[in-house]
């Protein structure tokens, strides 16, 4: 009888482990976008190992500004001279990391464990902060180790990796001089070094305007003027060519919904009291869509388009792949750009230990390819990648390596190599370019 009981217990344990493993795998498919979405066209694509990339030739200087245009939709496949880098693939990039050697202390790698706003939930999760270099604020460990964004060798390595991924535009997370996020230090002084390194690799730089205390339409007016005056003549400064032939700088505005649309309209519509339209500081302004109502707010605020940013499918209305077709239809009707954001996965429990329900497992790259296929399926003008190096949220495609310490076992890209997600990005960038050629025929 005891022997039967032991066998029954072993069988029950194995069954439980099977169910748990199955459920963890299914989590990556939320809400309803399964791997079946990946199928169309995949069998015709080259494998990751069948790379056709070459070192790009130096690009010509950015075209001069030609005024404004009401139609912001791109009309050509924007690629380098030998199709080895693609300017319709934009990748979000962060400059907020620091080390004792370069910055006097670790910055962001020692990020605090953010407590939940409900004290009862917060009490059931760990608190404190991370302790680099062995314990960093990420579920993955960078190939470069916990690095400083001020290190010229790090910047050079990053631009080389982005070039290898064929992403033509770095979207630089930007704060005004002397301003930083609540966990970091000011980094605007690093922008020239990033632009110089980007230019050496034929990469362009756009700006991702971050929220800060006191951000208003008037302060953003000053921010745009500062950026264009200081960087507008640099060879790496990105400009977007519209279907009317106008060439204008492109700006992503993070958390744009924090400012009312009628306030944005003072800046972004021609009738605004301090409008940028028709001035030397005009541009293409892309707001963030999180909730469905933000579609109308972005339109009435005078923006030229909307992007989704978040890499966790189902996290928000805008980040849900199943909503992208409807958002794109709205944008087409309203003459707006729709810029979907694809990501390799999501896991931020190293900084938000209570947020496990928003984790999206990578499944060895399958989640990323599903996301990229969903983005391509709506025929966008630009695809953004979230991200190159947002390590806290586990959305990075930067090289990561296996790492085990006494206290931690980091996730990694095995069974693939550290550059797996760079190679996947190149594969899909090339595919996107070929698809656009077919769309425009």
């Amino acid at each position: 009888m005891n022997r039967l009981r032991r066998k029954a217990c072993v069988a029950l344990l194995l069954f439980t482990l099977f169910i748990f493993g199955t459920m963890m795998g299914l989590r990556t498919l939320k809400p309803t976008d399964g791997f079946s979405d990946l199928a169309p066209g995949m069998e015709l694509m080259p494998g990751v190992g069948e790379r056709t990339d070459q070192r790009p030739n130096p690009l010509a200087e950015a075209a001069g500004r030609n005024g404004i245009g009401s139609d912001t939709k791109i009309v050509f496949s924007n690629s380098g001279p030998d199709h080895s880098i693609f300017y319709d693939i934009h990748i979000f990039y962060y400059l907020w990391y620091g080390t004792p050697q370069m910055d006097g202390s670790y910055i962001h790698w020692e990020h605090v464990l953010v407590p939940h706003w409900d004290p009862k939930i917060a009490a059931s999760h760990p608190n404190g902060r991370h302790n680099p270099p062995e314990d960093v604020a990420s579920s993955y460990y960078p190939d470069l180790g916990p690095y400083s964004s001020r290190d010229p060798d790090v910047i050079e390595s990053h631009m080389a990796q982005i070039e290898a991924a064929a992403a033509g535009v770095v979207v630089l997370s930007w704060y005004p001089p002397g301003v930083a996020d609540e966990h970091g230090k000011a980094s605007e002084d690093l922008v020239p070094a990033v632009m110089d390194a980007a230019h050496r690799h034929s990469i362009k730089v756009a700006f991702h305007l971050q929220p800060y205390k006191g951000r208003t339409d008037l302060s953003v007016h000053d921010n745009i003027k500062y950026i264009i005056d200081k960087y507008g003549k640099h060879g790496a400064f990105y400009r977007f060519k519209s279907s009317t032939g106008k060439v204008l700088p492109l700006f992503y505005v993070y958390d744009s919904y924090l400012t009312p649309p009628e306030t944005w309209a003072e800046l972004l519509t021609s009738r605004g009291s301090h409008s940028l339209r028709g001035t030397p500081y005009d541009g293409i302004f892309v707001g963030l869509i999180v909730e469905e109502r933000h579609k109308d707010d972005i339109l009435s605020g005078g923006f030229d388009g909307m992007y989704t940013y978040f890499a966790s499918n189902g996290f928000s209305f805008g980040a849900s792949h199943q909503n992208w077709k409807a958002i794109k239809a709205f944008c087409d009707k309203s003459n707006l750009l729709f810029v979907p954001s694809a990501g390799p996965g999501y896991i931020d429990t190293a900084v938000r230990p209570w947020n496990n329900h928003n984790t999206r497992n990578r499944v060895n790259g399958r989640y990323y390819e599903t996301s990229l296929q969903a983005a391509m399926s709506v025929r966008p003008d630009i695809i953004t990648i979230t991200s190159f190096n947002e390590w806290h949220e586990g959305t990075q495609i930067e090289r990561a390596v296996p790492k085990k310490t006494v206290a931690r076992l980091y996730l990694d890209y095995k069974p693939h190599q550290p550059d797996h997600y760079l190679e996947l990005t190149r594969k899909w960038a090339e595919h996107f370019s070929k698809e656009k050629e077919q769309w425009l025929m």
Side-chain angles (χ1 to χ4, degrees), residues 86-145:
F86 302 92
Y87 298 104
D88 42 19
I89 300 293
H90 297 187
I91 188 162
F92 295 111
Y93 182 81
Y94 292 87
L95 270 177
W96 55 25
Y97 300 106
T99 63
Q101 295 80 5
M102 299 293 293
D103 307 272
S105 65
Y106 282 108
I107 305 173
H108 267 271
W109 299 115
E110 38 59 87
H111 200 289
V112 298
L113 295 166
V114 180
H116 195 275
W117 52 87
D118 184 334
K120 293 181 179 179
I121 297 176
S124 63
H125 293 283
N127 53 29
R129 64 171 61 245
H130 290 277
N131 185 27
E134 296 297 289
D135 172 29
V136 302
S138 174
S139 293
Y140 294 85
Y141 201 83
D143 180 44
L144 296 175

Side-chain angles (χ1 to χ4, degrees), residues 133-350:
E134 296 297 289
D135 172 29
V136 302
S138 174
S139 293
Y140 294 85
Y141 201 83
D143 180 44
L144 296 175
Y147 53 75
S148 171
S149 296
R150 292 186 176 276
D151 189 335
D153 292 336
V154 168
I155 296 174
E156 186 67 24
S157 173
H158 285 174
M159 295 305 120
Q161 291 182 54
I162 293 169
E163 179 189 19
V169 179
V170 164
V171 184
L172 190 61
S173 180
W174 187 86
Y175 291 90
V179 180
D181 69 283
E182 61 179 317
H183 302 289
K185 294 183 180 179
S187 59
E188 205 284 329
D189 60 312
L190 302 182
V191 175
V194 173
M195 296 193 75
D196 289 346
H199 192 52
R200 290 193 292 272
H201 291 271
S202 300
I203 294 167
K204 301 298 181 184
V205 177
F207 289 80
H208 196 193
L209 306 184
Q210 296 294 319
Y212 51 85
K213 185 178 181 180
R215 185 176 80 172
T216 67
D217 52 319
L218 288 169
S219 71
V220 172
H221 182 284
D222 293 342
N223 298 158
I224 297 300
K225 185 176 185 300
Y226 174 90
I227 290 170
I228 292 176
D229 284 346
K230 186 166 185 179
Y231 304 117
K233 294 181 180 179
H234 196 288
F237 190 75
Y238 177 68
R239 289 180 171 88
F240 179 89
K241 185 174 182 180
S242 74
S243 61
T244 60
K246 308 302 181 184
V247 181
L248 294 170
L250 187 148
F251 298 93
Y252 293 90
V253 184
Y254 190 70
D255 280 358
S256 51
Y257 59 84
L258 294 176
T259 300
E262 56 269 21
T263 302
W264 283 123
E266 296 297 325
L267 182 70
L268 300 179
T269 65
S270 58
R271 66 182 182 278
S273 60
H274 42 274
S275 175
L276 292 169
R277 301 307 187 185
T279 76
Y281 303 106
D282 199 0
I284 306 300
F285 298 91
V286 184
L288 177 65
I289 176 171
V290 179
E291 300 177 13
E292 185 172 10
R293 64 184 176 87
H294 294 157
K295 293 187 301 181
D296 294 309
D297 291 346
I298 287 170
L299 177 62
S300 62
F303 285 90
D304 303 289
M306 58 190 74
Y307 73 115
T308 63
Y309 185 77
F310 298 105
S312 181
N313 182 24
F315 168 73
S316 68
F317 174 85
S320 297
H321 302 167
Q322 63 185 9
N323 296 328
W324 287 355
K325 184 177 180 181
I327 299 172
K328 178 63 159 58
F330 176 89
C331 289
D332 286 347
K333 181 180 178 181
S334 306
N335 198 30
L336 298 173
L337 285 167
F338 175 51
V339 185
S341 303
Y346 187 93
I347 179 168
D348 67 354
T349 51

Side-chain angles (χ1 to χ4, degrees), residues 15-27:
F15 179 74
T16 301
L17 290 172
F18 171 77
I19 293 297
F20 176 76
T22 302
M23 293 301 294
M24 289 297 290
L26 289 173
R27 290 183 57 180

